[in-house]
Amino acid sequence: MTGQGVGASARRREDDRFLRGRGQFVGDIRLAGMQDVAFVRSPLAHATLRGVRIPDAVRSRVFTAADLAGVKPIVAVSGLPGFKKSEQPVLAHDKVRQVGELIAMCIGPTRAEAEDVAATVTAELEELPAVHDMLAARARGSALLHEHWGDNVFLETFVDIGIEAAFDAPIKLTRRISTARQCMAPIEGRGTVAYWDNRMEQLVLYTGSQMPHIVRTGLAECLGLMQTQVRIVSPDVGGGFGYKGILLPEDICLGWLAMRCGHPVRWLEDRREHLTAGANCREHDYDITVYADRDGTLRGIDCEATVDSGAYSSYPFSACLEAAQVASILPGPYDFPSYRCRTWSVATNKCPILPYRGVARTGVCYALELMLDLVAREAGLEPFEVRMKNLVRPEQMPFDNITNKHFDSGDYPQALRRALAAADLEGIRARQRRGEPDGRLIGIGIAIYCEQGAHGTSVYAGWGIPMVPGHEQATARMTPDGGLELRVGVHSHGQSMETTLAQVAHEILGIDIDRIKLVHGDTEYTPYSTGSWGSRGAVMAGGAVATAAREVARLAAEIGAHLLQADPRTVTLRDGAVYGPSGSVTLAEIAHVWYRRPQDLPVSVDPRGLEATIGYKPGRDSGTFSYAAHVATVAVDPQTGDIEILDYVIVEDGGRLINPMVVDGQIYGGFAQGIGTALYEEMNFDASGQPLASTFADYLLPGPTEVPAPHLHHMETPAPYTEFGVKGLGEGGAIAPPAAIGNAVNDALRTLGAEVLQSPMTPRRVLAAIAAAREGTA
Amino acid sequence: MKPVDFAYARPMDVTAALSLLAEAGPSAKVIAGSQSLGPMLNLRLVQPGLVIDITHIAELRLVEERPDGISIGACITHADIEDGRVPDVAAGALRDVAHGIAYRAVRNRGTIGGSLTHADPSADWITMLAALGASVTLRGAAGLRTIPVEDYMLGALEADLRPGELLVSVTVPRLGRAARWGYYKLCRKTGEFAHAIGACVVDPERGVCRAVIGATEARPIVVADARHLIGDGTQEQFDGPAVDELARASGMEDAIVRQTHVVALRRAVAGAAHR
Ligand SMILES: Cc1cc2nc3c(=O)[nH]c(=O)nc-3n(C[C@H](O)[C@H](O)[C@H](O)COP(=O)(O)OP(=O)(O)OC[C@H]3O[C@@H](n4cnc5c(N)ncnc54)[C@H](O)[C@@H]3O)c2cc1C
């Protein structure tokens, strides 16, 4: 480690512009002649659209589905058998299936004026019964969203791995556990600026995107353009969390409009649109039974899981990624012999469910970890003892679990032991026995998960969705002054890639990271990539950058050898220079010769110069497995239901860390979101499918005062199959907090006989649980 | 989420504001700190033709201290009170409650008059000022009228503000030396609107024993003589079941909601006892 390479907590290069307010987000882009767009959205969750009335005075500024002839709907299929396809219209024509669905698009010189126009447009809607409850939606006789399906189920999956063998277990516990529907709420919402570039014969679309290349492909297909005719530019992105991986109907509308109207157009999502019309995630329901022996050994898990997928299958992840993943990841980091799981991805009259940091894992971890605590209670054991009995042990690694997940490495029990020691389990138990002077109840809860990241072709080919990641490519190119350009197709939406990928290249070439420039976020300048999702950036783009940098190193060494008049086999590259038996030459000198004094090069010089574009895949593409043990200590006020987090410990193993400070940042951010899931965030709907929150006054996010500083510890078990031993870990912080906090809350409530099995664990739910226990209805 | 196109006026005195109000009629909307009206404008829940900004009217920022209390101009901000620029005749209650409203950014702009007129049931001032026995003074074409704070609020988001009227000041009585007050607000996070509020003022010198249950669905429940509920406030003579019954009789059906309100008042009383 040189202080800038892999393992260094280098300062973030992005921060200078961000902290000075000089970032350039979509909302900062100003183009001459640009007009704003406001949408007419459906006020109803489910209705037949009879027509759209547009006053003559504004007719030229309003566009409906009738105008968009030839534009194709968004179709995101899954190859899983039985998947039912939905067509998400760009603008609604015959029917609307969610509140907020686009009906018309209106332009004006400013957003306010565009909204004035929108206010004069009337959608003639005939209300249909709304489907708002995913369990009822599964039942025969429910109203149907997509009539020709015959039911409301996008996909049902089933796996049974010898569940009968568990039926004679002495402990059998069944619960219904659920997680609320949430909104992702990045600081920056969605937004799009589009124009037609006559010189390039190209639609240029600026949009904060995690996956610019995927958006380009999807957009071109919907608009019937060649992909060379579409350029996606994703400038600075103020948080994505999955929402900015999605191709929205709004993007397609703006693209179409830009081609038609001859001037740039812009749509900036406002917070009401964000909360009521997009960005939905997380709503799971589990009917789960756990079988165990008296000593806490898990015998089997039997689960029926339902995910509320909303009205349409969104592009590119589809409507079933969430539920189908539940079946494969529910077993968590545990080793047990019997398993059965049935899942449903159900269509309802809500916004499509989208993948949010921790996709499916947060719900799964909540369900499983809550159940393991109940097993412990039933067996008279400490919750950690049940984990210790069942966690995959280090000597079993690499380990193929019951659903064939390949755990690459790690010491899960060790992480738990360290977390318990840091949280002072003994001390908390003693404190519980003493009681609190203020009458509050103390509880401690643990949760462990493993996070599959950077899973590649072999995993995604099975899902059969519009996007399957293959080799990740990067370009490394020296500049004439000895600097380095890196080009990658992933895009940073807060991951600090401008810093960390420069560190990777520095590790190999020794070029100062201030002289390494990352080019990303523009389909015109970067290699194709599925983009930033699934905790894959460090592993995939990091591996690709390392591979490309190594190739440049090899090319430079050859030129260096020539300049040193040495045999290429005798030279080495280190600290930014090529060393031969009798002298050295810097990379800057080598670059100078290649670009500016080619006359000094031999005729036999490798014509590739100092530039390489190469693809990378880890030795196995089944994914890296980072993991963590979280321990929460909470105080519950049994009179008000208030929950305070007193202490929080995280012991995380993300393999080799490229930049530990950046990793800490990722974990802190995820942790804050996990607290949101655990305690605050909930998008409710009424029976007519109306979303009940439309501002941050009624959709609660944790703020600085609600997020305590967690105690963070690292283990670094290198991944066996990746460059440097790096593992993906971007999502982990958001996975375990609901489970750890939930277990802590239930530990606190144990003396009252109450349990809360639904997130967020609001004061009302806590009080209701206490009341139910008191009345014996629990 | 942008407001409709509206005209804007910034009168410099109350008379000018009143005549603008009279001229423009119901399409005019008064704006003070904009912390509640701003979002409503943006959401187009209100679509005024004229917005009359009253924050530059010096009269509405006047504070007048008298032996029996204080009169606070309608445009005095929560931050003015929090920072002590307004003498606290209520033994610290005003500063304490002001400090607990939202975030500092909101307190810098939000006004006491705006808060009372917006009449959000879960807002802080309405409940505490009702406990203190404060009153509001309104001025319209027909002159001045002064009514108790709790009567000013008619219901959720509805104040007894007649067409053409402005709220000009709030009068808070001075507490006696032996007086105690308590205030307890239940909310989940800083800046969230309250789920339940309890407030009480016990002032033996003036023979005052008031209790208020706030953050209800509508107007706060004000008990002008609360001795049967909270005793004399020097110790915990709190009668939970009686408070619960009162809440039920006032239309609070939900048992959990009632419980939190009873707890809030109990804790307000406990806090008052320790002051
Ligand atoms: C994020 C956030 C959090 C908040 N949290 C809290 C909280 O915890 N507790 C709390 O109590 N409040 C809270 N508030 C509300 C805040 O206290 C507002 O300041 C207050 O509700 C309105 O005061 P204002 O001066 O901003 O009034 P405005 O928004 O300007 O006006 C509100 C209404 O009053 C009318 N009005 C204003 N002044 C007069 C007058 N003198 N005469 C006649 N009519 C008038 C206006 O026409 C309008 O109808 C919060 C607000 C925000 C944005």
Side-chain angles (χ1 to χ4, degrees), chain B residues 29-37 54 74 78 100-103 106 109-111 113-115 117-118 123-125 161 165-167 185 191-193:
Chain B
K29 196 75 194 154
V30 166
I31 198 163
S34 174
Q35 296 305 293
S36 297
L37 189 59
I54 58 170
H78 313 322
I101 296 173
Y103 316 92
V106 173
R109 288 185 166 272
T111 65
S115 177
T117 307
H118 184 59
D124 290 87
W125 283 130
L161 184 72
E165 263 184 344
L166 264 190
L167 192 166
K185 164 160 86 161
E192 189 202 8
F193 275 95

Side-chain angles (χ1 to χ4, degrees), chain A residues 115 270 637 701 705 764, chain B residues 1-2 189-190 254 267:
Chain A
E115 287 185 20
D270 67 31
D637 185 329
L701 289 171
T705 49
R764 187 174 178 90
Chain B
M1 270 202 325
K2 304 287 179 207
K189 56 169 275 192
T190 308
D254 184 286
R267 291 185 181 177

Side-chain angles (χ1 to χ4, degrees), chain A residues 367-652:
Chain A
L368 181 61
E369 292 290 314
L370 257 51
M371 290 307 291
L372 292 189
D373 266 35
L374 298 180
V375 169
R377 213 158 292 159
E378 184 72 16
L381 298 168
E382 270 288 355
F384 81 85
E385 294 176 293
V386 173
R387 270 65 174 202
M388 287 301 180
K389 269 262 177 288
N390 299 290
L391 280 172
V392 173
R393 297 183 310 278
E395 64 273 18
Q396 292 174 285
M397 296 290 181
F399 176 79
D400 292 317
N401 85 344
I402 191 158
T403 54
N404 278 323
K405 294 280 171 192
H406 183 78
F407 296 4
D408 56 3
S409 62
D411 186 344
Y412 301 174
Q414 171 77 0
L416 179 56
R417 274 191 296 273
R418 286 181 53 175
L420 288 170
D424 188 17
L425 174 64
E426 300 290 304
I428 300 296
R429 291 287 179 233
R431 185 171 165 184
Q432 285 177 316
R433 286 190 292 273
R434 283 196 305 275
E436 298 295 301
D438 61 6
R440 291 195 299 176
L441 302 168
I442 302 294
I444 184 165
I446 60 188
I448 312 176
Y449 66 88
C450 50
E451 175 189 0
Q452 185 182 19
H455 23 340
T457 317
S458 63
V459 179
Y460 273 80
W463 300 116
I465 60 174
M467 169 204 88
V468 178
H471 280 86
E472 186 72 20
Q473 290 182 312
T475 300
R477 175 203 280 172
M478 289 206 65
T479 53
D481 60 354
L484 187 74
E485 275 174 17
L486 298 173
R487 294 167 186 266
V488 293
V490 294
H491 192 42
S492 187
H493 45 288
Q495 292 89 343
S496 324
M497 288 180 192
E498 289 165 48
T499 308
T500 55
L501 293 181
Q503 287 181 256
V504 168
H506 170 86
E507 178 75 25
I508 286 156
L509 289 165
I511 297 173
D512 195 280
I513 60 171
D514 287 336
R515 310 202 63 195
I516 302 176
K517 176 170 186 63
L518 183 70
V519 178
H520 64 343
D522 191 330
T523 53
E524 205 74 349
Y525 296 135
T526 61
Y528 194 90
S529 164
T530 56
S532 300
W533 56 273
S535 296
R536 66 192 298 279
V539 174
M540 300 305 297
V545 164
T547 308
R550 254 191 219 107
E551 184 64 7
V552 167
R554 202 185 57 71
L555 293 164
E558 249 177 65
I559 297 173
H562 168 75
L563 297 177
L564 293 169
Q565 311 213 321
D567 181 337
R569 283 166 304 185
T570 64
V571 302
T572 53
L573 189 153
R574 62 174 189 275
D575 304 333
V578 172
Y579 291 81
S582 59
S584 67
V585 54
T586 64
L587 282 177
E589 286 162 342
I590 291 170
H592 183 80
V593 171
W594 168 260
Y595 288 105
R596 307 190 61 185
R597 297 190 53 82
Q599 63 270 35
D600 293 350
L601 293 166
V603 284
S604 64
V605 69
D606 191 325
R608 282 175 295 171
L610 296 171
E611 174 168 348
T613 299
I614 308 193
Y616 166 82
K617 250 191 199 192
R620 254 191 88 119
D621 70 2
S622 52
T624 58
F625 278 75
S626 57
Y627 58 94
H630 287 213
V631 182
T633 305
V634 305
V636 180
D637 185 329
Q639 294 187 25
T640 62
D642 265 346
I643 296 166
E644 185 191 352
I645 300 170
L646 300 177
D647 185 47
Y648 203 97
V649 174
I650 299 174
V651 177
E652 164 112 16

Side-chain angles (χ1 to χ4, degrees), chain A residues 195-451:
Chain A
Y195 69 95
W196 180 261
D197 183 325
N198 280 313
R199 183 175 63 89
M200 301 301 288
E201 291 180 24
Q202 200 177 38
L203 173 65
V204 181
L205 201 112
Y206 289 85
T207 182
S209 173
Q210 302 169 219
M211 303 160 62
H213 293 272
I214 297 298
V215 169
R216 173 165 85 162
T217 299
L219 189 84
E221 285 174 1
C222 287
L223 288 176
L225 296 172
M226 293 186 292
Q227 294 191 28
T228 51
Q229 290 177 296
V230 180
R231 174 180 172 195
I232 304 293
V233 184
S234 183
D236 282 329
V237 180
F241 311 122
Y243 186 36
K244 292 187 187 144
I246 304 302
L247 173 66
L248 294 181
E250 287 87 341
D251 297 327
I252 298 167
C253 282
L254 272 275
W256 177 87
L257 192 57
M259 292 196 295
R260 170 175 168 121
C261 68
H263 56 74
V265 288
R266 171 173 81 166
W267 165 70
L268 294 180
E269 180 187 64
D270 67 31
R271 210 39 90 168
R272 181 163 56 168
E273 292 178 299
H274 181 89
L275 290 170
T276 61
N280 276 213
C281 57
R282 286 268 199 274
E283 190 174 2
H284 293 198
D285 179 275
Y286 298 85
D287 188 347
I288 180 169
T289 300
V290 174
Y291 297 93
D293 286 333
R294 288 257 153 243
D295 67 354
T297 304
L298 278 179
R299 296 279 303 281
I301 293 174
D302 191 2
C303 182
E304 293 194 340
T306 312
V307 171
D308 187 328
S309 296
Y312 300 106
S313 180
S314 71
Y315 190 95
F317 290 103
S318 91
C320 67
L321 190 75
E322 188 98 3
Q325 280 209 67
V326 166
S328 65
I329 62 179
L330 181 62
Y334 302 104
D335 179 14
F336 57 88
S338 299
Y339 180 56
R340 180 165 68 180
C341 188
R342 195 182 286 279
T343 74
W344 290 270
S345 304
V346 177
T348 63
N349 291 113
K350 301 178 186 172
C351 318
I353 198 162
L354 307 177
Y356 177 42
R357 197 176 200 169
V359 192
R361 290 163 180 74
T362 304
V364 158
C365 179
Y366 186 64
L368 181 61
E369 292 290 314
L370 257 51
M371 290 307 291
L372 292 189
D373 266 35
L374 298 180
V375 169
R377 213 158 292 159
E378 184 72 16
L381 298 168
E382 270 288 355
F384 81 85
E385 294 176 293
V386 173
R387 270 65 174 202
M388 287 301 180
K389 269 262 177 288
N390 299 290
L391 280 172
V392 173
R393 297 183 310 278
E395 64 273 18
Q396 292 174 285
M397 296 290 181
F399 176 79
D400 292 317
N401 85 344
I402 191 158
T403 54
N404 278 323
K405 294 280 171 192
H406 183 78
F407 296 4
D408 56 3
S409 62
D411 186 344
Y412 301 174
Q414 171 77 0
L416 179 56
R417 274 191 296 273
R418 286 181 53 175
L420 288 170
D424 188 17
L425 174 64
E426 300 290 304
I428 300 296
R429 291 287 179 233
R431 185 171 165 184
Q432 285 177 316
R433 286 190 292 273
R434 283 196 305 275
E436 298 295 301
D438 61 6
R440 291 195 299 176
L441 302 168
I442 302 294
I444 184 165
I446 60 188
I448 312 176
Y449 66 88
C450 50
E451 175 189 0

Side-chain angles (χ1 to χ4, degrees), chain B residues 44-77:
Chain B
R44 298 199 173 190
L45 294 173
V46 280
Q47 306 193 355
L50 170 68
V51 166
I52 304 171
D53 181 349
I54 58 170
T55 55
H56 288 250
I57 300 178
E59 240 175 300
L60 298 181
R61 296 195 38 85
L62 285 181
V63 172
E64 208 180 317
E65 193 175 358
R66 293 186 300 267
D68 63 339
I70 192 166
S71 150
I72 300 172
C75 287
I76 290 294
T77 64

